[in-house]
Amino acid sequence: MIEELIEVARAAMGRAYCPYSKFHVGAALESADEAVFSGCNVENASFGGTICAERTALVSAVAAGHRTFRRILIMSDADDPVAPCGFCRQMLAEFGTDLEVISVGAKGGRRTWRLTELLPEAFTGADFMEDA
Ligand code: THU
């Protein structure tokens, strides 16, 4: 249910650690077997060490044993829905470019994409591994 994902992402957004940007982002990633993992952005004084909400959700899901995903929902402070950054697109693509990406803005607007639209012709393990 989309509503459940919205609530999970909203709660995660409230846990964002973003003292530098003050931009709160939350994500809810649903696996093929309907488990839901949340993530928030976790910033670092060495700015490059920052991890986005989408990747936090992804690494948490993978660490819990999930590798097949159905959709990810993103929420942030921005009025309009934000699209995931390039690093997150690449990390998500590792586990399938058919992923549905839903983003909800603070004003309630929604956008939906397939990851393949956001990262066409993705570089994957199949590009250099014969058995991938
Ligand atoms: N951020 C995310 O968590 N996800 C996005 O899709 C866009 C950017 C975070 C990273 C950083 O903590 C802050 O938002 C500003 O870029």
Side-chain angles (χ1 to χ4, degrees), residues 107-125:
K107 284 183 171 168
R110 233 180 250 184
R111 290 201 64 182
T112 303
W113 307 269
R114 285 283 164 191
L115 184 55
T116 185
E117 293 175 67
L118 298 175
L119 190 66
E121 304 197 41
F123 175 73
T124 70

Side-chain angles (χ1 to χ4, degrees), residues 124-132:
T124 70
D127 290 319
F128 63 96
M129 281 165 43
E130 277 170 23
D131 55 353

Side-chain angles (χ1 to χ4, degrees), residues 21 23 25 41 43 50 52-54 74 82-85:
S21 73
F23 186 61
V25 188
N41 49 333
E43 297 187 345
T50 293
C52 294
E54 298 91 323
I74 306 157
V82 295
C85 82

Side-chain angles (χ1 to χ4, degrees), residues 87-110:
F87 288 122
C88 291
R89 295 177 196 200
Q90 180 67 32
M91 285 283 290
L92 290 166
E94 181 75 17
F95 298 94
T97 51
D98 198 36
L99 184 74
E100 187 179 15
V101 180
I102 306 158
S103 186
V104 181
K107 284 183 171 168
R110 233 180 250 184

Side-chain angles (χ1 to χ4, degrees), residues 3-122:
E3 279 67 32
E4 186 202 336
L5 294 182
I6 290 177
E7 285 324 305
V8 169
R10 194 195 305 282
M13 204 179 139
R15 297 189 291 269
Y17 175 73
C18 52
Y20 307 106
S21 73
K22 313 241 189 305
F23 186 61
H24 300 76
V25 188
L29 176 64
E30 185 184 296
S31 65
D33 55 353
E34 295 182 3
V36 176
F37 294 85
S38 68
C40 61
N41 49 333
V42 181
E43 297 187 345
N44 191 271
S46 174
F47 294 172
T50 293
I51 179 166
C52 294
E54 298 91 323
R55 275 177 288 154
T56 309
L58 179 68
V59 297
S60 151
V62 173
H66 296 265
R67 295 185 181 180
T68 311
F69 303 104
R70 189 177 285 170
R71 52 194 176 165
I72 187 166
L73 187 138
I74 306 157
M75 285 187 78
S76 83
D77 291 326
D79 283 349
D80 296 320
V82 295
C85 82
F87 288 122
C88 291
R89 295 177 196 200
Q90 180 67 32
M91 285 283 290
L92 290 166
E94 181 75 17
F95 298 94
T97 51
D98 198 36
L99 184 74
E100 187 179 15
V101 180
I102 306 158
S103 186
V104 181
K107 284 183 171 168
R110 233 180 250 184
R111 290 201 64 182
T112 303
W113 307 269
R114 285 283 164 191
L115 184 55
T116 185
E117 293 175 67
L118 298 175
L119 190 66
E121 304 197 41

